[in-house]
Amino acid sequence: QVQLVESGGGLVQAGGSLRLSCAASGRTFRRYVMGWFRQAPGKEREFVAAIRWSGGNTYYADSVKGRFTISRDNAKNTVYLQMNSLKPEDTAVYYCAATYGPRLTPNEYEYNYWGQGTQVTVSS
């Protein structure tokens, strides 16, 4: 059974940094794409970043490009989201997700597995 467990959220001031982690278990993720999404209060869930587990290719939403970095540690079966220069508009619940196949997709409906989410709050 696939499990995705996020951690690392919290409260930070604008301009600060946080690193989110997503520990993946239950299968070999070599042929998966891992994604990060977020959902702010009253808004729809939106794509943040994705990484192809094999090869490490990445894809970012324009709103976070240059500030956020997605990476993975094969030995730990963990995906990270390093978030720098945080803004109040980055406040949201952040979710880790997984989809089988090579396509770096921003479409949440193509992701089959989801974590429970971790809250990130950026104060101004």
Side-chain angles (χ1 to χ4, degrees):
Q1 184 175 345
V2 173
Q3 266 201 314
L4 303 176
V5 180
E6 303 99 332
S7 61
L11 173 64
V12 64
Q13 287 190 329
S17 298
L18 279 175
R19 188 178 80 158
L20 305 183
S21 299
C22 172
S25 62
R27 63 186 55 191
T28 302
F29 289 90
R30 186 175 63 248
R31 296 183 180 181
Y32 279 73
V33 163
M34 306 297 292
W36 284 98
F37 291 78
R38 66 186 182 186
Q39 188 168 21
K43 295 189 176 181
E44 294 187 352
R45 189 157 55 188
E46 64 174 0
F47 170 76
V48 175
I51 186 167
R52 187 175 295 134
W53 201 284
S54 176
N57 306 78
T58 58
Y59 177 46
Y60 295 93
D62 287 343
S63 58
V64 305
K65 205 173 292 184
R67 299 189 299 124
F68 291 10
T69 302
I70 188 171
S71 62
R72 86 271 189 250
D73 184 324
N74 290 337
K76 295 183 178 180
N77 240 27
T78 299
V79 177
Y80 302 99
L81 185 69
Q82 177 66 44
M83 306 185 295
N84 299 329
S85 302
L86 282 162
K87 306 175 182 179
E89 50 263 45
D90 294 318
T91 295
V93 177
Y94 282 71
Y95 297 92
C96 175
T99 178
Y100 182 82
R103 209 165 78 89
L104 288 164
T105 175
N107 185 347
E108 63 175 303
Y109 297 105
E110 296 187 37
Y111 287 80
N112 312 101
Y113 305 103
W114 292 84
Q116 82 287 350
T118 184
Q119 176 71 48
V120 172
T121 303
V122 185
S123 63
S124 56

